[in-house]
Amino acid sequence: MMTRALRLGVNIDHVATVRNARGGAMPDPVRAAVLAEEAGADGITAHLREDRRHISDADIEGLMAALNGPLNFEMAATEEMQKIALRHKPHAVCIVPEKREERTTEGGLEVAREENQLAHYIAPLREAGCRVSIFIAADRRQIEAAHRIGAEVIELHTGAYCDAYAEGRMDACDEELRKLTDMAAFADDLGLEVHAGHGLTYDCVGPVAALPQVQELNIGHFIVGEAIFRGLTPAISEMRRIMEEARS
Ligand code: PXP
């Protein structure tokens, strides 16, 4: 198949995590997002969690006002978040599962089990012009369900692949990569746009970036961490370089 262009979405949630550790206004995630755009990010991702542990409502307002490019607004499928999304109408809305007690988004959304509710939930978002993406595991049942409810995009959860890589469990890593490879092709055949993300680093991004159907990678925690050592612009440039090298 034809290899599609690959975009980088930079998730700036953890700039807000650092800000919130002290309260106050610094460091400003909106400033980081504008700088990330200037550094070559194709879009910005932000997750407004129910408990507002990092990104705040004011950050979303600030991002909508300041960004030149698209905002990918990550949110749980709650009434409150739907209202916020419909007020701002970001370019994309990515529906993620959310548990209060989790440290990060641990798994993909159970679309197959909640198909009817989710179909009703995303309809007004689509009518408002948002591209609706569903964050799911590389699982055929979930992809089919995402397709049936009318999502335009799926984002494949790369967490299990990245964890296996980081822990040196190379058999498990190969197995997770095989699932991502097969399911990216399966989703693309259904006409879904394929994104991927969670836990990606310079060391493990290459094989995911090389999947020809994947059109966007959303990467946050590693880039924000790496920015401490080399600055945000070089951290993003290096991620892009590795992605592009893997793609070619
Ligand atoms: N994509 C989705 C849907 C996410 O929930 C997250 C984490 O918020 C990411 C991508 C980025 O993951 P990470 O911060 O580990 O790069």
Side-chain angles (χ1 to χ4, degrees), residues 32-243:
V34 170
L35 193 59
E37 279 190 328
E38 287 165 9
D42 300 292
I44 298 298
T45 292
H47 182 178
L48 185 65
R49 293 188 78 105
E50 187 196 3
D51 62 8
R52 309 303 198 267
R53 70 174 70 159
H54 38 58
I55 293 295
S56 67
D57 299 66
D59 292 332
I60 297 294
E61 251 164 66
L63 289 167
M64 286 302 297
L67 293 181
N68 289 311
L71 175 68
N72 177 32
F73 178 56
E74 279 184 26
M75 59 180 224
T78 64
E79 231 174 90
E80 182 199 18
M81 289 300 152
Q82 192 190 49
K83 274 197 198 124
I84 295 171
L86 289 173
R87 177 145 42 85
H88 291 298
K89 299 188 179 58
H91 166 79
V93 167
C94 181
I95 313 286
V96 302
E98 203 177 290
K99 292 186 230 129
R100 241 173 209 272
E101 64 277 16
E102 71 189 353
R103 244 192 285 174
T104 181
T105 313
E106 283 164 359
L109 198 69
E110 247 301 332
V111 199
R113 213 174 44 206
E114 293 168 37
E115 213 172 304
N116 283 343
Q117 289 120 287
L118 280 169
H120 280 108
Y121 186 84
I122 68 170
L125 296 166
R126 289 194 57 189
E127 276 158 30
C130 302
R131 275 178 85 68
V132 174
S133 168
I134 311 278
F135 189 46
I136 48 179
D139 177 296
R140 189 177 288 261
R141 265 180 62 245
Q142 304 298 344
I143 293 169
E144 285 169 342
H147 181 242
R148 279 196 299 271
I149 67 169
E152 292 147 299
V153 181
I154 56 154
E155 181 163 333
L156 294 173
H157 196 311
T158 52
Y161 158 77
C162 296
D163 287 349
Y165 182 92
E167 291 159 17
R169 292 182 286 111
M170 296 326 277
D171 285 351
C173 182
D174 290 348
E175 172 59 16
E176 292 301 331
L177 185 60
R178 191 191 55 74
K179 282 193 224 162
L180 291 167
T181 305
D182 292 349
M183 291 304 110
F186 178 65
D188 185 72
D189 283 346
L190 288 177
L192 289 161
E193 182 174 319
V194 183
H195 300 176
H198 206 280
L200 294 167
T201 67
Y202 293 155
D203 290 339
C204 68
V205 72
V208 182
L211 300 177
Q213 301 88 358
V214 173
Q215 295 187 54
E216 183 173 305
L217 296 180
N218 286 303
I219 309 179
H221 184 260
F222 177 81
I223 287 177
V224 171
E226 191 63 17
I228 294 170
F229 302 107
R230 55 170 102 196
L232 190 57
T233 300
I236 291 171
S237 304
E238 178 64 1
M239 187 58 84
R240 282 219 77 109
R241 188 193 66 71
I242 297 170
M243 283 165 55

